[in-house]
Amino acid sequence: MAVPRLAFENISKVFPGVKALSDVSFDVAPGEIHALLGENGAGKSTLLRILSGVFRATEGEIKIDGAAHHFKRPESARQAGIAMIHQELQQVPHLTVAQNMFLGHSLTRFGGIVVNRREQERRAAEALAMIDPTINPAAPISTLKVAQRQVVEIARALLDKAKIIAMDEPTSSLTPSEFERLADIIERLSTRGVSIIYVSHKMDEVFRVCQRATVMRDGKVVGMVDLKKTATAEVIAMMVGRELLAEEHHSHATTTTSVEARNLNTARVRDISFDLHKGEVLGVAGLVGSGRTELLRALSGADKVTSGTIKVDGKLLTLSNPRAAIAAGIGLLPEERKREGIIPDRSVTINMALPSMNRFSKGGFINHRKLKRAAEDLLKRVNLRPFQLDRQIRLFSGGNQQKAIIARWLAAGSRILLFDEPTRGIDVGAKSEIYHLIEVLAAEGHSVIVVSSELPEVMRVSDRVLVMRDGIIVAELGRDELSEETIVSHAVGKADSRPGAA
């Protein structure tokens, strides 16, 4: 049997009071695209940090091409041919593409006194030419799209002659077309003998690009599968330890209008008109840049409305700022959860209470007993796990952070909920819980707008779907009209249902 390019042999990792990994063993062949799957907290990130030299294993060893390695630092892993591409790209915005590619090991001249920028740019251009020659190595990396910045990280790995590239949620911010481009690059790397470890919660992508998958749960390997011979449902059941039942959509929409928007204009959206009903889940689909997020920002008071009207429960609303929207019962779960949705170092309880702290304070002093009672009630209702109310919110998984933000708007008494990419970066089990929460909220009479780049998600949760393109609504689709093909055709302009459209 051929020697594996990479082998994990009985890897265990113990932190104080916690065994994060237990006897993890599997291998990856040269040129193989190998998925590493599991819910948040399964141990995937810990294992990759050991592979990349950030953590040291408590027990076990890593073998590369048959030779044992014990990495003490990231530089040792890099020298052994391992590259790590993180979900949140490790780049310095004000530096050029080439400078980022040589970050930490710049090329110098004159005895190491001066950085040889010309040589760095020449070598960077050579590496980029293998996958995307259109990227200028002298350009500031901040001017590139996310997909191009991903390509720069891959080119950096090629520059380092990486034999193993680990990709952690590489498509969380990419459009479907950008994913196809990345998939093509991954497949070309594979044909050159580069082994890829691919971590993703998006099962369609995993089955599209990977040959085998190792499935982890609770720090252990629970199975390895041939993806060409295994059903998606079987893999998901291994990940979560149970079958996720395919839930049918149940509409709770009424004829009562909760939000009436007419001819809304902002700097990014134009002539937007729609109604949202009590108990309805209204989906908004479209390509990245189509105006979906900007529509939610306008409704939440984050972006200035230059003209048009918004009525809530029949009353004209002046959205001068987010406070006005909150006072009118509107709550926004933002797309950028970590940057815009949470205060990482504060407790989950404090994060939950942010917009409604006046409910829990008097004379400038917080009534901690009252706050704790409310937190226990609301965070139990959204099934927060682990149920540790004083724990910093940054220590929770993405799915549980989202649950805390949903609880925030329940605490604030919001009746209109705006969810922007509610399951981005969340594992399949937590996704199912978020979908269930959305349906429960609608059944209770909340009105919900869901923006999502994942078409199956939009179709799963919505009673109706608005499709946006270039800042305007180009189609309104009833539930019986929903299909991926129909949504995409409107989003890209192959079909147009606007009045008077050719």
Side-chain angles (χ1 to χ4, degrees), residues 251-325:
S251 178
H252 302 281
T254 68
T255 57
T256 303
T257 301
S258 57
V259 177
E260 181 183 316
R262 293 293 180 267
N263 308 113
L264 284 188
N265 287 276
T266 72
R268 299 294 298 276
V269 299
R270 295 177 287 126
D271 200 31
I272 297 291
S273 296
F274 68 91
D275 290 339
L276 174 66
H277 300 100
K278 185 177 180 181
E280 182 179 25
V281 180
L282 178 64
V284 182
L287 302 179
V288 171
S290 63
R292 302 167 307 169
T293 290
E294 289 76 14
L295 172 58
L296 296 197
R297 287 180 60 83
L299 295 173
S300 67
D303 285 354
K304 183 180 179 181
V305 174
T306 55
S307 64
T309 61
I310 301 172
K311 290 182 179 179
V312 174
D313 297 331
K315 297 178 181 178
L316 193 63
L317 182 62
T318 302
L319 287 178
S320 53
N321 54 48
R323 284 186 181 276

Side-chain angles (χ1 to χ4, degrees), residues 189-488:
L189 291 171
S190 171
T191 61
R192 295 175 51 189
V194 178
S195 298
I196 309 288
I197 297 178
Y198 192 90
V199 176
S200 179
H201 295 307
K202 298 180 180 180
M203 291 295 103
D204 54 339
E205 293 182 2
V206 168
F207 278 81
R208 161 78 170 77
V209 301
C210 301
Q211 290 104 33
R212 292 190 301 159
T214 293
V215 182
M216 296 184 65
R217 189 170 71 243
D218 299 328
K220 300 176 183 178
V221 172
V222 294
M224 185 181 291
V225 297
D226 182 337
L227 293 171
K228 306 301 179 189
K229 301 176 181 178
T230 311
T232 304
E234 186 179 339
V235 174
I236 292 174
M238 291 174 68
M239 290 167 61
V240 302
R242 65 191 189 282
E243 279 192 45
L244 291 181
L245 299 177
E247 298 178 14
E248 292 183 7
H249 177 80
H250 298 100
S251 178
H252 302 281
T254 68
T255 57
T256 303
T257 301
S258 57
V259 177
E260 181 183 316
R262 293 293 180 267
N263 308 113
L264 284 188
N265 287 276
T266 72
R268 299 294 298 276
V269 299
R270 295 177 287 126
D271 200 31
I272 297 291
S273 296
F274 68 91
D275 290 339
L276 174 66
H277 300 100
K278 185 177 180 181
E280 182 179 25
V281 180
L282 178 64
V284 182
L287 302 179
V288 171
S290 63
R292 302 167 307 169
T293 290
E294 289 76 14
L295 172 58
L296 296 197
R297 287 180 60 83
L299 295 173
S300 67
D303 285 354
K304 183 180 179 181
V305 174
T306 55
S307 64
T309 61
I310 301 172
K311 290 182 179 179
V312 174
D313 297 331
K315 297 178 181 178
L316 193 63
L317 182 62
T318 302
L319 287 178
S320 53
N321 54 48
R323 284 186 181 276
I326 294 169
I330 298 173
L332 172 67
L333 190 153
E335 178 182 16
E336 296 288 344
R337 176 179 64 246
K338 291 183 179 178
R339 192 176 68 187
E340 300 176 350
I342 63 172
I343 302 177
D345 293 331
R346 300 304 296 271
S347 72
V348 67
T349 295
I350 293 297
N351 272 273
M352 181 211 75
L354 285 175
S356 52
M357 196 61 81
N358 60 319
R359 277 187 56 200
F360 309 108
S361 58
K362 189 174 182 179
F365 294 95
I366 297 173
N367 184 331
H368 289 282
R369 183 176 298 175
K370 185 177 180 181
L371 175 57
K372 184 179 179 182
R373 281 200 306 268
E376 286 177 345
D377 177 47
L378 292 170
L379 294 172
K380 194 173 293 180
R381 184 175 164 194
V382 298
N383 195 26
L384 182 80
R385 293 196 307 268
F387 197 70
Q388 298 174 2
L389 304 187
D390 294 326
R391 194 184 198 203
Q392 291 178 336
I393 197 168
R394 67 181 178 84
L395 301 176
F396 287 85
S397 68
N400 283 288
Q401 289 177 8
Q402 294 291 62
K403 292 176 189 177
I405 298 173
I406 293 171
R408 169 187 301 167
W409 297 119
L410 298 180
S414 301
R415 305 178 310 283
I416 299 153
L417 302 172
L418 313 178
F419 289 2
D420 196 355
E421 302 287 2
T423 67
R424 175 170 287 172
I426 290 176
D427 63 58
V428 288
K431 272 189 179 184
S432 181
E433 289 189 82
I434 297 293
Y435 297 159
H436 178 68
L437 263 175
I438 290 172
E439 184 162 319
V440 167
L441 291 168
E444 292 174 351
H446 293 83
S447 302
V448 186
I449 300 180
V450 175
V451 164
S452 178
S453 299
E454 297 187 35
L455 295 186
E457 178 167 281
V458 171
M459 294 164 59
R460 161 71 181 81
V461 301
S462 305
D463 298 308
R464 281 185 301 144
V465 171
L466 304 178
V467 185
M468 296 190 68
R469 185 175 75 244
D470 299 328
I472 61 176
I473 295 172
V474 295
E476 178 184 317
L477 304 173
R479 184 152 187 88
D480 58 351
E481 301 173 280
L482 295 181
S483 72
E484 292 194 33
E485 293 77 13
T486 303
I487 294 173
V488 169

